[in-house]
């Protein structure tokens, strides 16, 4: 399934992997009795999860964006930087999948909306472009 995921410097899927890895490292550190390290990894995972839900959730689309949803959600020092591709309001199928699969979705409304988005694409009801536009060079 191809639906034109839009990569940015603050990619939701990349950050989802980082949050998941930190959660898993916290679990491993706990098994090893390294409770300070477990707490540090757990805090990092929670911080990334909160940022993803705050900056990558688009309530108007009821989906997670492929990156930060709007330029005003970026830190002030990068909002107008020409070298930063920081935001996109595009929402791909697999962004929803990773947020759910890695248990990063906060709240029942977001969880249900992401699930419905995935289900609609699997049932052929969502809009999937036949050919993705080329990114600007």
């Amino acid at each position: 399934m191809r639906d034109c995921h839009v990569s940015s410097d603050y990619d939701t899927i990349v950050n989802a992997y980082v949050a998941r890895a930190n959660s898993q490292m916290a679990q491993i550190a706990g098994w090893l009795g390294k409770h300070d390290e477990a707490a540090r990894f757990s805090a990092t995972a929670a911080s990334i999860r909160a940022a993803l839900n705050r900056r990558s959730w688009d309530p108007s689309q009821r989906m997670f964006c492929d990156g930060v949803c709007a330029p005003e959600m970026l830190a002030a020092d990068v909002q107008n930087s020409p070298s930063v591709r920081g935001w996109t309001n595009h929402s791909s199928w697999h962004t929803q999948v990773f947020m759910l699969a890695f248990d990063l979705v906060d709240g029942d409304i977001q969880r249900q909306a992401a699930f419905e988005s995935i289900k609609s694409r699997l049932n052929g009801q969502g809009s999937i472009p036949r050919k993705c536009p080329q990114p600007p060079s």
Side-chain angles (χ1 to χ4, degrees), residues 103-114:
D103 194 27
L104 298 171
V105 179
D106 283 345
D108 291 338
I109 292 172
Q110 290 176 332
R111 190 176 321 281
Q112 187 63 36

Side-chain angles (χ1 to χ4, degrees), residues 80-91:
N80 297 315
S81 173
S83 64
V84 175
R85 293 178 305 124
W87 70 277
T88 176
N89 63 358
H90 185 268
S91 298

Side-chain angles (χ1 to χ4, degrees), residues 52-99:
L52 283 168
N53 280 278
R54 185 175 61 253
R55 295 182 176 172
S56 295
W57 173 253
D58 185 344
S60 66
Q61 292 189 82
R62 294 178 45 89
M63 287 191 264
F64 286 93
C65 298
D66 293 345
V68 174
C69 291
E72 61 272 10
M73 294 177 167
L74 294 168
D77 60 333
V78 298
Q79 282 183 8
N80 297 315
S81 173
S83 64
V84 175
R85 293 178 305 124
W87 70 277
T88 176
N89 63 358
H90 185 268
S91 298
S92 66
W93 179 82
H94 44 292
T95 294
Q96 316 315 304
V97 169
F98 281 104
M99 289 297 291

